[in-house]
Amino acid sequence: MKSYILPEFLVERDDYRCIRCEVCVRQCAFEAHRYDADEDAVFVDESKCCGCLRCVTLCPTRALTVRRNPTQTPDNYNWTREQLMDAYKQAETGGVLLTGMGCGRELPIYWDRIVLDASQVTNPSIDPLREPMELRTWLGAKPDRLDSQGEGKRRRIEGMGPQLKLETPMMFSAISYGAISYNTCEALARAAAELGTYYNTGEGGLRRDLYKYGRHTICQVASGRFGVHADYLEAAAALEIKIGQGAKPGIGGHLPGEKVSLEISRTRMIPEGSDAISPAPHHDIYSIEDLAQLIYALKEATHWTKPVSVKIAAVHNSAAIASGIVRAGADIVAIDGIRGGTGAAPTRIRDNVGIPIELALAAVDDRLRAEGIRNRASIVVAGGFRNSGDVIKAIALGADAVYLGTPALVAMGCHVCRKCYTGKCNWGIATQDPYLSKRLNPELAARRLVNMINAWSHEIMEMLGGMGINAIESLRGNRLRLRGVGLSREELDILGIKHAGE
Amino acid sequence: MKIDLERMGDPRVFRRDNGHVHIDASELHYRELNAMIKQAALDGATLMEIENVYGQRYIGSGVRLPVRIEIRGIPGNDLGAFMDGPEIVVDRNAQDGVGNTMNSGNIVVHGRAGDIVAMGMRGGSIFIRGSVGYRAAIHMKEYMKHRPVLVIGESCQDFLGEYMAGGVVVVLGLDRDPGQGLRARHVGTGMHGGAIYLRGDIDPHNLGKGVEVSEPEEADLEKLRELVGRFCAYFGGDPAEIMAGGFVKLAPRSKRPYGSLYAY
Ligand code: SF4
Ligand code: SF4
Ligand code: SF4
């Protein structure tokens, strides 16, 4: 069948600069570039280009330019080029559209409509370069009242559940081995250990080689129960029951059989070459009571030593659901907004289901406070963070910490080309191809991650200092330090913040 | 709630002779009971007899030693969840989630069991004398040498073996006349690995899409003889008579049930 799909990008080569080194040919796993020895020329098939910029970045003579294909489809506000191309693709294949990474639609980004406060005259700002500044964060259930027993060093707070200690209120989101390469997992693990924080295995199990980073690992238990084994539960610092994911609320997922290699099969503990199917629900959880049952099953299996988190996608009634989760005994509630990333999701679900994390966070924090149970669980939010400004605003809105997924991948080289589901990530991240995954050196990638988080932490300290605050604790849920700009009364009400100037 | 391990010092609740431990669970919260079981296993107990079990959950979870746990009474949900090693024998019925995400060991239930028996199980074996509820063996899987086994003496409800990715399920149908098929619907829906053996037949309308029915071959029959033999060793009965009933084998047509769903 003749395809009507226009190439998304144009790949242009400055022939005067090109030295025929074939770097681009080797680097593009989508095989967009081809060298013809007879003609001594490099040709391009732009229909294969996804715009990941790998070739552009590595071309030694900067001979390449990739830009959006300027060909116009007829002007139509309704039938844009994207809508046309998607319809052609489905007419040609009959398939559900797949995509990778988070929703990039023009939904409002509330972080950009919220501004922070700073001290002027009436209370002095603090300079974190010279004065102590505390970012340390503890995640886990806190008791209703402070009662302590014992003396001196033996003094203990009564009723304190197991806690996770974070040196900075940022963790790496759940991304499974299978969706990303082993090297990428290792880089996340190393960086989490060096930073004194945590990374999350996602639902794909944990390779034995990474058990040594267990103290910095949150292990997920999802509906497929992949790799959920006594050793896995014991290796983790905390466990997370994955109910939903911001990129695809309400559905499960499947890792296609051709990606289930020997190593993946061992780690997920499934047959090699079979589809790894995650059912949409956990079939042992049809109610809050059932959720409580799984929470306590995990606690029992790990001898009550580890906090248990429950992760949900941000949806319309997240606040009520979060209340149920806390009452079911979770120590941490993790909420993933509509912009949360993924290795593969049906495009329509990613782009149309769920709500922005800013609104969900504000609603959940309000609800738990109103019910007097906010202390019983920490709130961790995910989905759509791009920089330290977003992170600090989330904490002021009521989050205890954030999960960073896409930013972590970007730190390692991801260009958000959205082709993760093909398994051909040219940056060596979302792939199991040994030739491609070698491109990501875990040590260098860990360095990039550590650099980025350290820089963000420092920026957070600067902003805290600017507000005259010397501990992140004092900003948590302190919405008076936020103001909205250009938001409706309703949005301000939900966010629980005043308008700038008020 | 505090775990009252001090009750382990109370001879009415906790008795020990040689490697044998007796626990009276009548007044114990599951957390206390499980703490006692774990502690006794660590102390080297090889056999535990637990009396008056009334719905305590998670028995056998978090115990990673090959102890034998004999339950007198009715254990609660998630019996043997994440279990890795023990053998559990229940003299009466069990509830939902028997062997949930179980890894290794053996569970023998002399009565019936509730829903999602063997959910996500990937190793070890479960034998239920009576019937089971909905979605038994859902998402059971195998890998490398690990091949879980679930044998059900009587019948099961709908969605048996849903999403099944490996392992062996046998439904003996001993509650039915030979010739009367299994009534459960949507059997093996989404199945992409493993095998289900039904004694007696099944109406093809009751099968999930993508499930293929065949006559068991010699290798299948050998496996069946072994499992029926074990079944009869636990619960009595004549293996030859059961084998004579005739079996059908259900297996998935593809390891990739949803391979052509997407546009790449
Ligand atoms: S990488 Fe650059 S210089 Fe080398 S062949 Fe490609 S375009 Fe030419
Ligand atoms: S897909 Fe990436 S590497 Fe290939 S041509 Fe396009 S930008 Fe270059
Ligand atoms: S991980 Fe790789 S494939 Fe996925 S968006 Fe980033 S660069 Fe593209």
Side-chain angles (χ1 to χ4, degrees):
Chain A
M1 197 190 295
K2 165 79 185 148
S3 175
Y4 300 162
I5 299 170
L6 293 175
E8 208 180 333
F9 296 96
L10 286 189
V11 182
E12 291 161 330
R13 174 179 287 98
D14 180 343
D15 212 46
Y16 179 70
R17 287 189 174 206
C18 175
I19 53 169
R20 313 305 193 243
C21 69
E22 294 183 61
V23 162
C24 53
V25 178
R26 286 190 297 274
Q27 290 294 326
C28 182
F30 298 100
E31 297 175 346
H33 301 275
R34 180 177 60 83
Y35 176 69
D36 188 317
D38 291 341
E39 297 194 39
D40 187 33
V42 189
F43 295 98
V44 76
D45 174 356
E46 42 252 306
S47 69
K48 294 179 172 161
C49 173
C50 69
C52 76
L53 304 188
R54 178 78 186 179
C55 59
V56 177
T57 312
L58 267 74
C59 169
T61 59
R62 295 201 194 88
L64 290 167
T65 308
V66 170
R67 62 192 173 97
R68 197 180 152 84
N69 182 353
T71 304
Q72 298 276 353
T73 55
D75 278 344
N76 192 314
Y77 183 69
N78 204 27
W79 281 96
T80 57
R81 183 156 107 184
E82 282 67 30
Q83 302 294 354
L84 282 174
M85 296 307 138
D86 284 351
Y88 294 150
K89 193 171 200 181
Q90 293 192 289
E92 286 162 22
T93 63
V96 170
L97 292 174
L98 266 189
T99 185
M101 304 313 282
C103 162
R105 272 184 55 200
E106 59 300 333
L107 292 167
I109 299 175
Y110 288 97
W111 304 130
D112 291 341
R113 299 293 175 85
I114 297 175
V115 290
L116 287 162
D117 192 19
S119 304
Q120 300 294 300
V121 184
T122 51
N123 67 339
S125 42
I126 300 169
D127 182 351
L129 291 176
R130 281 175 292 101
E131 293 178 64
M133 183 68 73
E134 179 80 50
L135 292 189
R136 185 176 287 171
T137 297
W138 298 89
L139 301 182
K142 311 292 188 292
D144 293 340
R145 293 185 308 144
L146 279 184
D147 273 331
S148 64
Q149 276 205 343
E151 288 299 320
K153 284 208 161 162
R154 309 201 131 204
R155 208 173 155 98
R156 293 208 136 276
I157 305 282
E158 284 284 291
M160 186 77 113
Q163 305 284 317
L164 287 184
K165 177 178 166 190
L166 282 63
E167 295 303 340
T168 185
M170 292 176 269
M171 304 187 286
F172 300 128
S173 288
I175 314 179
S176 65
Y177 173 49
I180 53 172
S181 65
Y182 173 72
N183 283 0
T184 314
C185 296
E186 187 183 339
L188 288 164
R190 281 181 181 220
E194 191 175 333
L195 289 161
T197 182
Y198 300 83
Y199 82 106
N200 188 314
T201 60
E203 58 180 298
L206 180 61
R207 238 171 77 161
R208 294 258 162 199
D209 334 35
L210 293 178
Y211 273 41
K212 57 177 181 281
Y213 300 105
R215 287 197 302 128
H216 295 279
T217 308
I218 299 177
C219 283
Q220 245 186 15
V221 176
S223 63
R225 301 290 153 87
F226 298 120
V228 178
H229 172 274
D231 290 340
Y232 173 78
L233 300 177
E234 274 166 28
L239 303 169
E240 182 166 274
I241 299 172
K242 178 198 172 183
I243 301 290
Q245 176 179 351
K248 38 181 168 177
I251 66 165
H254 36 272
L255 188 69
E258 64 257 17
K259 291 193 195 168
V260 182
S261 62
L262 179 64
E263 270 308 325
I264 301 270
S265 110
R266 273 193 194 153
T267 308
R268 296 200 171 208
M269 301 179 177
I270 52 169
E272 212 179 324
S274 278
D275 278 359
I277 299 180
S278 296
H282 288 246
H283 281 285
D284 51 357
I285 304 179
Y286 289 179
S287 67
I288 291 290
E289 291 72 22
D290 289 349
L291 174 66
Q293 184 175 307
L294 183 61
I295 292 172
Y296 288 110
L298 291 171
K299 288 185 184 249
E300 191 64 60
T302 53
H303 321 298
W304 305 80
T305 54
K306 296 173 191 195
V308 175
S309 165
V310 175
K311 179 178 177 183
I312 53 167
V315 290
H316 302 184
N317 47 355
S318 288
I321 296 163
S323 160
I325 290 172
V326 176
R327 292 176 189 282
D331 303 280
I332 298 166
V333 184
I335 314 159
D336 192 11
I338 189 169
R339 292 193 187 280
T342 178
T347 309
R348 297 299 171 240
I349 289 182
R350 185 196 70 175
D351 289 351
N352 294 294
V353 185
I355 66 171
I357 191 62
E358 300 91 327
L359 304 178
L361 165 60
V364 168
D365 182 63
D366 276 348
R367 178 70 173 255
L368 299 186
R369 279 170 194 275
E371 293 186 9
I373 54 173
R374 178 66 181 84
N375 61 303
R376 286 208 222 154
S378 299
I379 299 178
V380 176
V381 286
F385 296 100
R386 304 153 300 169
N387 56 56
S388 62
D390 298 349
V391 173
I392 192 170
K393 289 169 195 170
I395 287 171
L397 267 184
D400 288 279
V402 302
Y403 267 141
L404 306 174
T406 306
L409 299 188
V410 168
M412 291 186 277
C414 165
H415 280 57
V416 198
C417 74
R418 303 156 309 167
K419 290 289 172 192
C420 322
Y421 63 92
T422 62
K424 292 186 187 162
C425 174
N426 280 327
W427 293 92
I429 296 170
T431 181
Q432 301 306 319
D433 178 340
Y435 175 70
L436 295 174
S437 41
K438 264 206 315 242
R439 295 180 184 178
L440 188 136
N441 173 319
E443 204 175 315
L444 296 179
R447 172 90 350 251
R448 298 180 71 97
L449 285 166
V450 169
N451 283 344
M452 189 185 79
I453 299 298
N454 280 341
W456 289 21
S457 298
H458 188 75
E459 288 170 344
I460 291 172
M461 290 193 212
E462 293 271 12
M463 287 185 267
L464 282 176
M467 286 184 266
I469 291 174
N470 65 4
I472 192 88
E473 276 300 312
S474 314
L475 184 69
R476 194 157 281 131
N478 189 346
R479 299 191 196 172
L480 281 172
R481 307 312 293 266
L482 300 174
R483 288 290 187 275
V485 181
L487 295 176
S488 70
R489 197 32 70 194
E490 199 137 40
E491 289 166 314
L492 292 169
D493 278 352
I494 293 166
L495 291 166
I497 60 175
K498 293 182 171 174
H499 202 277
E502 274 189 280
Chain B
M1 188 206 56
K2 263 186 153 155
I3 300 179
D4 197 0
L5 277 173
E6 275 170 23
R7 293 213 206 175
M8 283 180 81
D10 180 344
R12 283 163 308 171
V13 176
F14 190 97
R15 254 181 322 116
R16 189 196 297 274
D17 47 73
N18 298 327
H20 293 188
V21 161
H22 305 261
I23 300 173
D24 178 356
S26 48
E27 301 266 309
L28 296 180
H29 187 275
Y30 75 78
R31 233 180 126 171
E32 291 175 293
L33 174 60
N34 289 323
M36 284 182 185
I37 294 172
K38 288 178 192 174
Q39 189 58 51
L42 288 178
D43 292 349
T46 51
L47 172 67
M48 300 183 204
E49 292 173 303
I50 309 175
E51 280 172 71
N52 301 319
V53 174
Y54 293 122
Q56 283 94 341
R57 292 177 173 181
Y58 318 126
I59 296 176
S61 271
V63 183
R64 304 192 64 188
L65 295 160
V67 296
R68 182 178 161 95
I69 301 172
E70 293 182 1
I71 293 174
R72 315 268 150 78
I74 298 173
N77 291 349
D78 277 350
L79 175 71
F82 311 112
M83 194 169 88
D84 197 20
E87 171 165 59
I88 297 183
V89 182
V90 181
D91 71 344
R92 274 171 248 175
N93 296 337
Q95 300 190 47
D96 295 343
V98 174
N100 189 346
T101 323
M102 170 172 162
N103 202 61
S104 72
N106 185 29
I107 299 181
V108 177
V109 176
H110 283 259
R112 64 183 307 286
D115 296 338
I116 57 164
V117 175
M119 163 165 162
M121 179 184 181
R122 78 169 76 79
S125 48
I126 299 179
F127 288 82
I128 312 279
R129 179 181 205 152
S131 290
V132 301
Y134 289 84
R135 294 198 151 98
I138 180 170
H139 221 249
M140 190 190 239
K141 26 183 130 52
E142 67 190 34
Y143 84 112
M144 309 200 342
K145 281 196 224 97
H146 307 259
R147 202 159 180 230
V149 165
L150 169 65
V151 181
I152 298 160
E154 298 183 343
S155 299
C156 62
Q157 299 287 355
D158 302 351
F159 292 103
L160 173 75
E162 186 179 10
Y163 300 113
M164 195 168 144
V168 176
V169 175
V170 183
V171 184
L172 295 177
L174 297 175
D175 55 338
R176 287 176 265 127
D177 293 334
Q180 202 188 4
L182 180 67
R183 286 268 187 71
R185 292 167 306 163
H186 310 292
V187 171
T189 189
M191 183 176 180
H192 53 292
I196 300 176
Y197 300 97
L198 303 177
R199 188 165 160 274
D201 214 345
I202 184 162
D203 180 343
H205 287 111
N206 288 342
L207 293 177
K209 266 190 275 175
V211 178
E212 204 161 53
V213 187
S214 63
E215 286 273 311
E217 291 173 17
E218 187 42 43
D220 300 310
L221 290 171
E222 198 177 310
K223 183 82 194 164
L224 279 168
R225 276 192 290 271
E226 176 210 326
L227 294 176
V228 169
R230 276 178 74 186
F231 182 89
C232 293
Y234 295 134
F235 307 121
D238 177 5
E241 198 178 301
I242 295 178
M243 286 303 295
F247 285 86
V248 293
K249 177 182 183 178
L250 311 182
R253 277 203 196 98
S254 157
K255 289 167 98 180
R256 306 269 336 261
Y258 305 117
S260 57
L261 187 61
Y262 297 108
Y264 277 88

